[in-house]
Amino acid sequence: MKINPADLNQVDVLKDAPLEDLNLIVEKSILRSIEEDSFYFFQGDPAKYAYILVTGRVKLVQSNPAGQQVNLRTIKQWEMFAALGAIRSDATYPVAAQALEPSSALAIESKVLQEMMQTRPYLNMGLMQLMTGYIQEMQNRYRELATEKVERRLALTILRLASQVGIKSQGQIELPLSQQDIAEASGSTIYTVSRTLSEWEKRGLIETGRGRIVMRNPHGLVEIAEGIESA
Amino acid sequence: MKINPADLNQVDVLKDAPLEDLNLIVEKSILRSIEEDSFYFFQGDPAKYAYILVTGRVKLVQSNPAGQQVNLRTIKQWEMFAALGAIRSDATYPVAAQALEPSSALAIESKVLQEMMQTRPYLNMGLMQLMTGYIQEMQNRYRELATEKVERRLALTILRLASQVGIKSQGQIELPLSQQDIAEASGSTIYTVSRTLSEWEKRGLIETGRGRIVMRNPHGLVEIAEGIESA
DNA sequence: TTTCTTCTTTGCTTAAGCGCAAATAAAGGG
DNA sequence: CCCTTTATTTGCGCTTAAGCAAAGAAGAAA
């Protein structure tokens, strides 16, 4: 596949980048295509590349010593991920990046990005915006996990995922994620997720299918998320 | 009180700053002194200032709609906090900053910091290092909260707090924090914290007092944190 | 179509830890 | 030194949701 450099303006971090820089990035990077369930990198690998997702979807997961996983973020097209290495030159990836479907991503050497940052203020600003957004999201999720009950957390998780990787089809938003993914993203278990989603389906809030959740009544979910439980 | 600009080199973000910049910062900022339990700012306030803590200790807390709190970070002398506003110009503070003891901090207008960032690469790098550190810490804490049991999380929390705000005295590390603070930092309750700390005290791992925890056997805590439980 | 695999559902049991209530202890103020 | 306030401890009951086991459903492969 060929990348059209102009497309890179869709990447938030690069929205103010001049075309010549986009050309430079495409020229200096390589396109890595991987199949479903494969990894771009593992937790602990030296952070040699930053990535821009070109096609597919990728999740960033972290495992504890016992092997239990949490989903920290789901990446969609034209999102940059693993930019950490560009900032901490000695760093290893603190997460693993696993493809949710066949995917391809531009791999940019951390070194290249670092050099570009020396002389391009827009790149610094873009990366900082990205990072502050991450920090705020993680702080919110941490607070939710510490203080909210599962049902509410699930509603918050699904709303968040919908805004990040939801797909609009026929006026409805669809999440192409398995219940396992939802469980790992909300800090719960597949059993509780299944039970809760079934309950919501009965109430007409959502529609579930294998590896798929359709939001029928987003407002109802917002009410659950905010604790305006009608039940 | 008078600030000696040269002291600001102890601030991580400013460790590479030339003295003239430190002078500029002191000149352009104001020193705010507040008493115990007061706030530098509340969650939701417009993020007009970034701060450098000069004396005392400050905690960053976030509340959920019901008023339950979580501690996101404890700040000690010469740490910068609330630097977010300097990056997102329209931002409001996503957390509140409350003094754990009488404190004073340099308040730097976000605008000033923003202007300085235009022409000072060291400042950009410093802030990015700070933010990547935050991100990694929050990701780890999130995973811990999602996957680990309370006792282990408590050990991890105490070890983390010890490295961040621990005070060395007579070869031992002391944490000047109440059990309430520990509970809010670990995502637990004062009851469970009390029970667990009592148990650890019996085992000789720590020594507790009102608003104070002394680590007697840090290695033992590490073992609990890593799941090498001897019990 | 038939078979296999993977995902989802559901009944049941159980452990963890929350949280009330009340007692006890420590610090601070006058 | 006494009194008030605030922090810590502990017994006890109870809820939540985790987790096993086993069945059912939906795709994928053959």
Side-chain angles (χ1 to χ4, degrees):
Chain A
M1 198 177 65
K2 272 265 285 286
I3 305 292
N4 178 359
D7 281 340
L8 291 185
N9 265 323
Q10 296 173 75
V11 179
D12 250 8
V13 174
L14 301 177
K15 64 174 190 293
D16 298 326
L19 189 56
E20 57 190 318
D21 283 2
L22 302 182
N23 283 321
L24 182 67
I25 288 173
V26 170
E27 194 179 298
K28 290 255 187 181
S29 62
I30 52 176
L31 187 69
R32 286 190 59 193
S33 297
I34 66 175
E35 55 191 56
E36 189 169 345
D37 293 338
S38 302
F39 289 83
Y40 278 107
F41 50 81
F42 295 96
Q43 190 174 336
D45 285 357
K48 217 179 143 195
Y49 297 95
Y51 291 86
I52 293 169
L53 190 61
V54 178
T55 59
R57 280 172 313 123
V58 165
K59 63 177 177 180
L60 303 183
V61 303
Q62 199 176 49
S63 307
N64 73 355
Q68 274 176 94
Q69 291 200 336
V70 291
N71 284 12
L72 291 171
R73 181 159 264 267
T74 308
I75 306 291
K76 71 166 176 221
Q77 200 186 24
W78 303 123
E79 251 189 282
M80 185 175 259
F81 62 103
L84 263 165
I87 289 134
R88 322 206 120 185
S89 43
D90 57 333
T92 58
Y93 296 115
V95 297
Q98 184 175 23
L100 285 163
E101 50 191 63
S103 301
S104 61
L106 272 180
I108 311 159
E109 267 187 86
S110 301
K111 212 168 40 182
V112 172
L113 215 52
Q114 267 167 34
E115 281 163 19
M116 290 184 71
M117 284 169 58
Q118 305 292 324
T119 53
R120 290 160 179 90
Y122 75 83
L123 190 55
N124 287 290
M125 285 317 282
L127 284 171
M128 287 205 201
Q129 301 277 351
L130 183 72
M131 287 193 289
T132 54
Y134 268 41
I135 292 174
Q136 291 194 30
E137 180 182 331
M138 286 312 297
Q139 287 178 342
N140 285 331
R141 287 177 62 180
Y142 182 81
R143 191 207 60 227
E144 288 164 13
L145 196 51
T147 65
E148 311 296 353
K149 294 219 207 307
V150 187
E151 189 184 26
R152 206 145 151 190
R153 256 161 44 214
L154 266 176
L156 287 160
T157 300
I158 284 175
L159 290 169
R160 184 177 291 123
L161 286 170
S163 76
Q164 290 175 355
V165 292
I167 295 164
K168 281 180 200 100
S169 65
Q170 303 152 54
Q172 296 199 320
I173 298 173
E174 179 174 331
L175 280 182
L177 295 168
S178 72
Q179 299 194 5
Q180 175 81 51
D181 290 325
I182 306 288
E184 287 175 3
S186 62
S188 180
T189 64
I190 49 171
Y191 313 109
T192 300
V193 169
S194 174
R195 278 184 259 264
T196 308
L197 294 189
S198 297
E199 168 65 25
W200 289 350
E201 186 156 29
K202 269 183 214 138
R203 288 205 248 156
L205 296 172
I206 58 170
E207 201 181 305
T208 66
R210 196 188 166 99
R212 185 174 73 86
I213 297 168
V214 182
M215 301 178 73
R216 281 226 163 284
N217 175 5
H219 187 65
L221 287 180
V222 172
E223 285 184 347
I224 293 174
E226 292 177 352
I228 321 178
E229 268 289 18
S230 49
Chain B
M1 199 178 63
K2 273 265 283 289
I3 305 290
N4 177 359
D7 281 340
L8 293 184
N9 265 321
Q10 295 172 76
V11 179
D12 250 7
V13 173
L14 301 177
K15 65 175 189 294
D16 297 326
L19 191 54
E20 57 190 317
D21 284 2
L22 302 182
N23 283 320
L24 182 67
I25 288 173
V26 171
E27 196 179 297
K28 291 253 188 183
S29 62
I30 51 176
L31 187 68
R32 286 189 59 195
S33 297
I34 67 175
E35 54 192 57
E36 190 169 344
D37 293 338
S38 303
F39 289 82
Y40 277 106
F41 50 82
F42 295 95
Q43 191 173 335
D45 287 355
K48 217 177 140 197
Y49 298 95
Y51 291 86
I52 293 170
L53 190 61
V54 178
T55 58
R57 279 172 312 121
V58 165
K59 62 178 176 181
L60 302 182
V61 303
Q62 199 176 48
S63 306
N64 74 353
Q68 275 176 92
Q69 293 200 336
V70 291
N71 284 11
L72 291 170
R73 185 160 261 267
T74 308
I75 307 292
K76 70 166 177 219
Q77 200 186 25
W78 303 123
E79 251 189 282
M80 184 175 259
F81 62 102
L84 264 166
I87 289 135
R88 321 206 122 186
S89 43
D90 59 332
T92 58
Y93 296 115
V95 297
Q98 184 174 26
L100 285 163
E101 52 190 62
S103 299
S104 61
L106 271 179
I108 311 159
E109 267 188 85
S110 300
K111 212 168 41 182
V112 171
L113 215 52
Q114 268 169 33
E115 281 164 19
M116 289 185 71
M117 283 169 58
Q118 305 293 324
T119 53
R120 290 164 178 87
Y122 75 83
L123 190 54
N124 287 290
M125 286 316 282
L127 284 170
M128 288 205 199
Q129 300 278 351
L130 184 72
M131 287 193 290
T132 54
Y134 268 42
I135 292 173
Q136 292 194 29
E137 181 182 330
M138 286 311 296
Q139 287 179 341
N140 285 330
R141 287 178 62 180
Y142 183 81
R143 191 208 58 227
E144 288 165 13
L145 196 50
T147 65
E148 311 295 354
K149 293 219 205 311
V150 189
E151 189 184 25
R152 207 147 149 188
R153 259 162 39 218
L154 267 174
L156 287 159
T157 300
I158 285 175
L159 289 169
R160 184 177 290 122
L161 286 169
S163 76
Q164 290 175 354
V165 293
I167 295 165
K168 281 182 200 98
S169 67
Q170 303 153 54
Q172 296 199 318
I173 298 175
E174 180 174 331
L175 281 182
L177 295 169
S178 72
Q179 300 194 4
Q180 176 81 51
D181 290 324
I182 306 289
E184 287 175 4
S186 63
S188 181
T189 63
I190 48 170
Y191 313 109
T192 301
V193 170
S194 173
R195 279 184 258 265
T196 309
L197 294 189
S198 296
E199 168 66 23
W200 288 351
E201 187 156 27
K202 268 182 216 138
R203 286 206 250 156
L205 296 172
I206 58 170
E207 199 182 304
T208 66
R210 196 187 166 100
R212 185 174 73 86
I213 298 167
V214 182
M215 301 177 72
R216 281 224 162 283
N217 177 4
H219 187 66
L221 287 179
V222 171
E223 284 184 348
I224 292 173
E226 291 177 353
I228 320 177
E229 268 289 18
S230 47

